[in-house]
Amino acid sequence: ELSSKGNRELALQVRSDEVHALLAGMFHADWVDVAYLPFVLNDYRPAAPHVLISEVLYDPLGLDDKEFVELVNPTPFSIDLSGYALGDAVQGDDFEDVRRFPDGTVISPSQTIVVAFAGTAFEAEFGFLPDFEIVETNTAVSNLIDDPAWGDPAALFQLGNGGDEIILRDAQDRVVDVLVYGAGQFGAVVPCPAVTASGHSLERFPFDQDRDDCARDFRDWPIPNPGALP
């Protein structure tokens, strides 16, 4: 091997999507432990290793039945969301709501899942059906399952315009991700400012970053685009 000992490169080409995904995941997992070029790591964060809340429309134009929450899988692996919970109840006795994803719900790498309050109103606004809905308005859309152990059975998963919390928990009720905005509060998570106008969404940018600082992780976005990543 005759290349220069002071400067060399190595390339590896693979034809398998599965092998590529595995190697990419290993690279991102190891990157944080390497510091050959500190200036490259300035404010660098690898993609989050878990599902993220990626976009929220909480104050749509007109009626609130067009609200939606979008999730994204920023990892190179599929993630089983069976039993995961999505809601705005911080404590079990809050007068708010928590819903569960049904068995068999899987989110693929770089895939989004859109949860709408009402599938019919969402389709009228955006031109396609969401993946799930909170209230049953369209038989073609699966419902999230109400969890009676959280909140009040009479409450619905609707978001406050002045502030709220959106919490994603796994099947064991461990917090996976949180979005807090306006007057909402959740532990040490820094909330986003409220959107500047009705019809704007809060969009995670970049979509794969999670600093637990919603003011840095999300931007006020004037054209909501559920199901599409920035």
Side-chain angles (χ1 to χ4, degrees):
E1 198 274 295
L2 300 176
S3 67
S4 168
K5 303 304 181 185
N7 185 10
R8 65 177 66 183
E9 296 79 30
L10 173 67
L12 176 64
Q13 293 181 314
V14 296
R15 295 184 177 180
S16 165
D17 290 341
E18 291 78 9
V19 172
H20 177 270
L22 175 63
L23 293 174
M26 293 169 60
F27 174 82
H28 284 294
D30 290 342
W31 179 271
V32 294
D33 298 321
V34 178
Y36 296 123
L37 298 172
F39 63 92
V40 173
L41 298 179
N42 182 29
D43 201 32
Y44 172 81
R45 283 177 176 265
H50 53 81
V51 177
L52 294 172
I53 299 165
S54 49
E55 188 175 7
V56 173
L57 178 64
Y58 65 83
D59 185 15
L61 293 170
L63 298 178
D64 284 342
D65 56 1
K66 298 182 287 294
E67 290 182 355
F68 72 80
V69 176
E70 176 194 83
L71 306 179
V72 67
N73 178 4
T75 80
F77 311 104
S78 294
I79 296 177
D80 186 356
L81 296 182
S82 301
Y84 271 50
L86 186 66
D88 57 348
V90 176
Q91 304 293 336
D93 57 355
D94 288 347
F95 186 73
E96 291 180 300
D97 194 22
V98 168
R99 303 279 167 145
R100 299 276 177 180
F101 286 93
D103 289 345
T105 303
V106 175
I107 184 167
S108 300
S110 299
Q111 178 188 348
T112 62
I113 284 182
V114 178
V115 178
F117 180 75
T120 299
F122 178 93
E123 183 183 26
E125 180 71 14
F126 297 105
F128 63 96
L129 289 172
D131 298 292
F132 295 95
E133 63 180 353
I134 302 300
V135 296
E136 185 170 357
T137 64
N138 192 313
T139 56
V141 181
S142 299
N143 300 332
L144 289 192
I145 304 165
D146 188 34
D147 186 344
W150 285 87
D152 189 292
L156 293 173
F157 181 29
Q158 286 186 290
L159 299 170
N161 292 346
D164 214 334
E165 308 82 22
I166 303 163
I167 307 163
L168 178 67
R169 296 178 172 91
D170 67 14
Q172 289 73 45
D173 284 334
R174 295 172 297 202
V175 174
V176 176
D177 192 33
V178 179
L179 167 58
V180 184
Y181 64 89
Q185 294 182 341
F186 189 89
V189 177
V190 178
C192 296
V195 295
T196 56
S198 295
H200 289 206
S201 68
L202 288 172
E203 182 181 61
R204 186 182 292 272
F205 185 81
F207 76 89
D208 59 354
Q209 300 292 296
D210 184 19
R211 298 178 176 87
D212 289 329
D213 181 344
C214 296
R216 296 180 64 193
D217 287 336
F218 287 84
R219 63 184 180 180
D220 183 322
W221 196 240
I223 306 173
N225 54 349
L229 297 173

